[in-house]
Amino acid sequence: MSPSPDDTVDARRTEPGRLRRSLPLIGGAVLATAGLVFGSLTVANAQSGDHQPPSIGQQAAQVQAEDAYAPVNGNTELNVNVLEDQVEHYYGSATATYPVVGTVTIPAANSNYAKQMKQIVDNAESYLSAARHAYHGAGKPAIVLDIDDTLLNTYDYTLASQFGYDAATNAVWIDNAAFPAVFDMPQLVSFAADHGYSIFFITGRPQSQTAATITDLTSAGYAAPESGHLFLKPSTPPSYLHCAKAPSCTTIEYKSGTRKYISSQGYTVVADFGDQYSDLLGGDAGHQVKLPNPMYYLP
Ligand SMILES: [Mg+2]
């Protein structure tokens, strides 16, 4: 029997320090983050003889529980500065120079992040290729992609802002196309297009950043989005979005509602790519692909 997310949350809450401290440090943030969030679930699965990986919904529930958890022992908590150092080891260190922004640190091509992305893209290409051959649906096959830390890597901004975020300074990076492509994602998007998938983009960036966002994508090596295929978050929700506290929409409401709208236009979303669980939940997502992002959490 598979453990429910609640089982694993309870296990996590009883012994948070032990779970964290028992993690192997080899591999830095990759293993630490994976073990931190999913360690108890993996163990529980192994004990039950069930090797099903946790679903995206289960993974999201784990992170939500982590986020809400109040530690009882500050000495066994992972120190924030240590975690930041691990994140830096994960991304590695290369440089790039952009207008106005200047020279910044970007992820290195030999980093664990690059290696993990290559694996994810290899798997995604295999999936999309097989799904395309097997596809007999009525709708036109499509994929949906988030933008920040799914197609464009924002590590340079995260470092410059000392792991913080400010909309005004972030806009300087956006306005100067100062984000490199996420490793191997231009290749994946081309692969999908070559295999007959329509490409849709759904980002939480505001609609006022539409022109800059198109420039950011093309500067990083992506083809410009087709007309009507790029969705930025509107200040007032369009009629096809149904948000519980309208005019305010949660990320899940906005993104899943937009995917539902895309589906209503004669497409079938075969796969959905995002670095946040909120990019993937809520329906109409097809195959959900979670990309790594240990920098920040957006519920
Ligand atoms: Mg993102």
Side-chain angles (χ1 to χ4, degrees):
M1 193 184 96
S2 295
S4 74
D6 288 344
D7 291 338
T8 58
V9 168
D10 288 340
R12 169 68 184 77
R13 279 182 173 156
T14 52
E15 293 185 276
R18 185 193 65 77
L19 284 169
R20 290 185 181 206
R21 290 302 160 194
S22 67
L23 299 172
L25 292 175
I26 303 161
V30 187
L31 286 176
T33 303
L36 186 81
V37 177
F38 312 127
S40 58
L41 192 55
T42 305
V43 169
N45 275 341
Q47 285 169 347
S48 68
D50 179 352
H51 296 284
Q52 284 285 342
S55 70
I56 291 292
Q58 287 173 321
Q59 294 175 32
Q62 288 273 308
V63 176
Q64 192 175 25
E66 285 282 346
D67 193 48
Y69 179 70
V72 291
N73 183 347
N75 275 326
T76 56
E77 280 302 296
L78 192 57
N79 185 287
V80 170
N81 292 148
V82 171
L83 186 55
E84 288 179 359
D85 288 345
Q86 289 188 359
V87 170
E88 292 177 28
H89 302 156
Y90 172 65
Y91 283 111
S93 179
T95 57
T97 302
Y98 300 103
V100 182
V101 165
T103 298
V104 290
T105 299
I106 62 170
N110 65 351
S111 62
N112 288 344
Y113 172 57
K115 289 170 190 159
Q116 188 177 7
M117 280 310 308
K118 182 177 187 327
Q119 191 68 57
I120 288 169
V121 168
D122 284 350
N123 290 345
E125 288 185 352
S126 296
Y127 182 88
L128 291 177
S129 180
R132 190 70 186 85
H133 287 299
Y135 186 76
H136 300 293
K140 293 170 276 186
I143 64 167
V144 169
L145 303 122
D146 167 57
I147 294 182
D148 288 308
D149 295 299
T150 297
L151 297 177
L152 304 173
N153 176 271
T154 72
Y155 179 61
D156 56 357
Y157 174 75
T158 293
L159 274 189
S161 62
Q162 298 179 305
F163 287 85
Y165 175 86
D166 171 79
T169 58
N170 189 257
V172 177
W173 264 251
I174 287 175
D175 290 344
N176 290 283
F179 299 121
V182 169
F183 290 114
D184 297 318
M185 289 303 284
Q187 170 197 314
L188 176 67
V189 176
S190 296
F191 180 94
D194 291 346
H195 283 72
Y197 290 96
S198 295
I199 313 296
F200 287 89
F201 306 83
I202 306 178
T203 173
R205 290 185 183 190
Q207 281 185 339
S208 58
Q209 292 177 331
T210 299
T213 297
I214 293 169
T215 303
D216 290 357
L217 289 169
T218 56
S219 299
Y222 297 97
E226 284 182 50
S227 176
H229 285 216
L230 170 61
F231 293 86
L232 296 94
K233 194 166 186 183
S235 47
T236 307
S239 58
Y240 59 79
L241 287 185
H242 304 286
C243 305
K245 295 180 181 172
S248 170
C249 293
T250 67
T251 301
I252 291 175
E253 287 173 335
Y254 159 58
K255 294 207 166 190
S256 67
T258 304
R259 291 194 301 273
K260 190 170 186 179
Y261 171 72
I262 291 168
S263 301
S264 78
Q265 302 298 106
Y267 296 92
T268 297
V269 179
V270 173
D272 181 20
F273 298 81
D275 65 289
Q276 303 289 324
Y277 294 107
S278 51
D279 297 327
L280 307 173
L281 299 173
D284 286 84
H287 181 60
Q288 300 153 302
V289 182
K290 171 70 172 65
L291 274 60
N293 178 1
M295 294 180 284
Y296 55 85
Y297 169 56
L298 302 174

